[in-house]
Amino acid sequence: MTAFSADPDRLKHLAEALVDAARRAGADQADALAVDGRSVGIDVRGGALEQAERAESVDIGLRVLIGGRQAAVSSSDHSRDAIAQMAARAVAMAREAPVDDTLGLADPDQLATTRDASGLRICDDLPEPEPAHLQDLALRAEAAALSVKGISQIESANASYSHRRMWMAASNGFSGGYARTGHVISTVAITGEGTGMERDYAGESRVFAADLPTPEEIGLLAAERTLARAGARKPPTGAFPILFDRRVSSSLIAHLLSAVNGSAVARGASWLRRDMGEQVLPAHMTLSEDPHRPGYPSSRPFDAEGLATRPRDIVTGGILQGWTLDLATARKLGLESTASAARGLASAPSPANSNVILTPGDVGQDQLIAQMGRGLVVTSMLGASINATTGDYSRGAAGFWVENGQITHAVNECTIAGNLREMLMTLVAADDALPWRGVQVPSLLVQGMTVAGA
């Protein structure tokens, strides 16, 4: 057990002590984080334990503000002397920083009244799983994958658990915190040998262990995906429709989310910077976020500046409704924060989204493949060349070739390219979005992209 578990108020005391130390050191304003984390991960291979890792830590972070200047520092030493030295160092750093008049904490009347995550179901209250139990889960996933004819080996099979609790305190009077857990099972399978080797994976993560698929389901899915990749070759070069499988379709929406992030908009580094109130998705699509979805990975009651989070539409009926903002970017743009601040221990707040959902379609992926005629289904991507200012898009991809509305063979070693503004306006969604994802997006068909293959 961690020291935090023995003393549930320890993080609160640490965060508040950091703020007090910062004020004594000369800060005008300060906020602090104290985080208790523990994790255990088990990797197996060949029916035996390959690696076991366990980590436990209590870490602290402090941000100070002085006359429009800020600095952030972190430490794993939380003795009284270390806290005092940390505060003095942060204040000295802030005095050398450039002035930004948009910096500052929330006013007290802006702060969330809910200071914990009760009702969000983001922490499993069962005891931490024993390493032997995690090893058994990983072994079962590996065995299931190996039981499928054609699988030559398992690159890795893993089961892991994490528990993280944080407390945030600030000189404006905010003090609150909550805990979060995660359970993961994953498998990577291989078929073939040498230059004919192909691999694929399956993995799932949940807040509650009881919500995970069985390790056998994960192992068998990894094997099925891997065998489907056997005999992959380059596709032809040309302009074709591309179907982004639900495993990768969220990346398209992530690019949109990056473009409406207040940090990018305030810098002028967004291809959507002039599109507030304009159409950015097909008219039947809505893109929303809900930080209060029970049991979901990004749920949170308040943001990293102590503001109450709330559901909102980012895009409604295809029309861009607004930017994703923290306090500083909102002030830069003359708007109000969307309570979207996130931060690390040694970083200032910046805008981030929580539990994003795109309107699903009303047809299955098979129907979209039939509709394609001839084109590419993308199931994995690597590398990226995305021009944040223009939206020009290019990525390496692998997946399956489609002829006459039917998948014919696996493909690899190709590049897909287009422009995000044009791509997003042609989206056709399937009805196959998976739950429990931070960005819940179905398979998406995009018309007229360029494929560079053979």
Side-chain angles (χ1 to χ4, degrees):
M1 286 293 174
T2 63
F4 171 61
S5 296
D7 180 2
D9 293 325
R10 187 181 186 192
L11 295 187
K12 177 178 184 291
H13 295 154
L14 285 173
E16 293 176 351
L18 281 163
V19 172
D20 291 342
R23 296 303 301 273
R24 289 195 298 270
D28 297 336
Q29 297 178 313
D31 56 20
L33 290 174
V35 177
D36 172 283
R38 65 182 184 270
S39 62
V40 57
I42 300 294
D43 291 280
V44 302
R45 192 172 184 180
L49 176 67
E50 183 174 58
Q51 180 172 289
E53 290 185 342
R54 181 180 176 83
E56 269 188 61
S57 65
V58 178
D59 299 297
I60 53 177
L62 173 67
R63 179 175 67 127
V64 301
L65 298 102
I66 304 173
R69 298 176 170 90
Q70 73 175 355
V73 296
S74 66
S75 176
S76 57
D77 183 350
H78 27 81
S79 65
R80 183 175 300 178
D81 288 345
I83 287 174
Q85 293 169 12
M86 186 174 167
R89 183 169 71 253
V91 167
M93 291 168 59
R95 286 179 172 142
E96 301 300 319
V99 174
D100 182 346
D101 291 333
T102 66
L103 298 176
L105 303 186
D107 295 331
D109 61 1
Q110 293 180 284
L111 297 175
T113 56
T114 298
R115 305 292 173 89
D116 60 38
S118 57
L120 293 186
R121 297 185 67 249
I122 57 174
C123 186
D124 195 340
D125 56 5
L126 292 177
E128 176 184 315
E130 294 293 334
H133 173 69
L134 294 176
Q135 183 172 338
D136 178 64
L137 294 177
L139 287 170
R140 286 165 57 192
E142 180 187 49
L146 283 172
S147 72
V148 179
K149 184 179 179 181
I151 297 300
S152 55
Q153 59 181 299
I154 301 302
E155 182 175 290
S156 65
N158 168 273
S160 62
Y161 164 83
S162 63
H163 180 286
R164 184 177 184 270
R165 183 164 183 175
M166 60 77 66
W167 196 277
M168 185 175 76
S171 57
N172 57 9
F174 185 87
S175 187
Y178 53 86
R180 190 185 301 279
T181 55
H183 299 262
V184 179
I185 303 174
S186 65
T187 308
V188 180
I190 296 174
T191 187
E193 297 179 353
T195 58
M197 182 181 294
E198 294 288 344
R199 62 168 50 80
D200 212 324
Y201 75 94
E204 293 288 342
S205 175
R206 301 285 191 273
V207 169
F208 291 87
D211 292 329
L212 275 171
T214 67
E216 287 79 12
E217 290 175 298
I218 291 170
L220 291 173
L221 180 57
E224 175 187 330
R225 288 173 171 173
T226 299
L227 292 176
R229 297 216 44 75
R233 56 189 188 269
K234 291 184 178 182
T237 293
F240 302 101
I242 293 182
L243 179 63
F244 289 78
D245 182 80
R246 64 187 181 183
R247 297 166 66 188
V248 296
S249 58
S250 61
S251 67
L252 290 179
I253 301 306
H255 293 310
L256 188 156
L257 294 174
S258 294
V260 302
N261 186 289
S263 293
V265 175
R267 295 194 311 271
S270 167
W271 50 276
L272 288 176
R273 60 192 179 277
R274 298 186 182 93
D275 285 67
M276 177 84 80
E278 299 295 324
Q279 186 173 1
V280 296
L281 289 173
H284 61 280
M285 284 189 173
T286 291
L287 182 67
S288 60
E289 70 171 337
D290 183 359
H292 299 161
R293 297 189 85 182
Y296 270 67
S298 302
S299 295
R300 53 182 182 161
F302 52 82
D303 76 348
E305 293 176 308
L307 304 186
T309 55
R310 60 187 183 276
R312 69 184 183 105
D313 282 356
I314 301 165
V315 177
T316 303
I319 305 300
L320 178 60
Q321 301 298 304
W323 315 123
T324 300
L325 303 168
D326 62 0
L327 286 170
T329 55
R331 291 165 183 151
K332 283 182 173 72
L333 297 168
L335 300 168
E336 296 294 323
S337 171
T338 55
S340 301
R343 61 169 291 192
L345 287 167
S347 62
S350 60
N353 295 102
S354 303
N355 299 331
V356 174
I357 308 102
L358 179 70
T359 303
D362 55 8
V363 298
Q365 187 190 85
D366 288 346
Q367 291 171 271
L368 290 187
I369 291 173
Q371 180 181 325
M372 291 171 68
R374 187 172 193 235
L376 177 66
V377 177
V378 175
T379 58
S380 65
M381 293 187 286
L382 67 157
S385 175
I386 312 296
N387 187 313
T389 303
T390 65
D392 288 338
Y393 174 100
S394 178
R395 296 200 67 176
F400 300 92
W401 191 248
V402 175
E403 289 282 357
N404 298 317
Q406 298 287 329
I407 288 176
T408 59
H409 61 271
V411 300
N412 58 12
E413 298 181 13
C414 67
T415 300
I416 57 176
N419 181 272
L420 285 165
R421 184 187 300 275
E422 298 167 3
M423 292 160 58
L424 293 174
M425 287 298 295
T426 70
L427 292 183
V428 180
D431 61 0
D432 60 352
L434 291 168
W436 309 111
R437 271 62 178 174
V439 181
Q440 189 169 307
V441 177
S443 298
L444 296 172
L445 177 62
V446 178
Q447 301 291 339
M449 292 184 68
T450 298
V451 178

